[in-house]
């Protein structure tokens, strides 16, 4: 019967193991997060939250998520700001009393496409909403 023997841990690796265990706290300076340039809130007064946001080609930002109608339902929320965080446009899309929300946004050549979910005839379906650069809804599709 063969027995397993362990070799002693080489001393030269002891410091490396300690550094790996301590990670960034071992001898590193904490530089912290960069300071915020601005902090602004947009949306409705109905318990909104964002699922996805991105910087746009014009330097501004676009975000999508949902509003909370009454704790039981939600509407899709899309907010577009300028580079300083000032509101350019905002859209709330949904069928009252249903669960509608945005989960992703992509920038197109002349606007944006938001993916999410919308309720149609009592059925929750995947949705795409195409917006112009000015926030005009060009089309809505459910799948």
């Amino acid at each position: 019967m063969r027995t397993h023997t362990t070799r002693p841990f080489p001393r030269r690796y002891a410091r490396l193991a300690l550094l790996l265990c301590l990670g960034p706290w071992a001898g590193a300076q904490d530089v912290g997060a960069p300071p915020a340039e601005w902090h602004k809130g947009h949306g409705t007064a109905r318990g909104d939250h964002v699922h996805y946001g991105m910087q746009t080609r014009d330097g501004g930002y676009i975000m999508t998520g949902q509003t909370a109608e009454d704790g039981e339902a939600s509407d899709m929320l899309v907010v577009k700001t300028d580079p300083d965080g000032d509101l350019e446009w905002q859209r709330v899309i949904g069928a009252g009393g249903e669960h509608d929300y945005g989960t992703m946004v992509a920038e197109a050549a002349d606007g944006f496409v938001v993916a999410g979910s919308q309720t149609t005839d009592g059925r929750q379906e995947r949705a795409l909403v195409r917006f112009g650069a000015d926030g005009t809804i060009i089309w809505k599709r459910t799948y």
Side-chain angles (χ1 to χ4, degrees):
M1 172 183 255
R2 188 173 169 163
T3 60
H4 178 71
T5 59
T6 58
R7 291 188 229 169
F9 191 73
R11 221 178 222 300
R12 64 179 178 239
Y13 297 123
R15 181 170 164 85
L16 176 62
L18 180 60
L19 288 174
L20 291 174
C21 289
L22 293 176
W25 304 281
Q29 289 184 344
D30 183 14
V31 294
E37 292 182 27
W38 48 262
H39 175 67
K40 299 182 181 181
H42 301 290
T44 70
R46 300 186 298 177
D48 307 333
H49 64 274
V50 170
H51 293 286
Y52 184 82
M54 63 176 276
Q55 189 165 25
T56 56
R57 282 187 211 105
D58 65 2
Y61 299 89
I62 188 162
M63 297 143 273
T64 188
Q66 66 191 63
T67 69
E69 285 182 13
D70 56 12
E72 297 290 322
S74 61
D75 290 325
M76 180 185 287
L77 174 67
V78 184
V79 176
K80 172 70 173 77
T81 71
D82 68 11
D84 296 320
D86 296 321
L87 184 66
E88 288 187 356
W89 52 266
Q90 171 180 302
R91 300 293 177 263
V92 177
I93 303 165
E98 302 293 346
H99 296 284
D100 303 318
Y101 53 87
T103 55
M104 187 71 169
V105 61
E107 189 167 11
D110 57 348
F112 307 93
V113 178
V114 174
S117 178
Q118 289 194 300
T119 303
T120 306
D121 298 325
R123 284 183 0 166
Q124 192 170 21
E125 299 179 309
R126 295 172 301 279
L128 292 175
V129 182
R130 176 78 161 89
F131 293 90
D134 63 354
T136 304
I137 297 173
I138 297 171
W139 50 256
K140 295 190 284 186
R141 307 270 195 285
T142 56
Y143 305 91

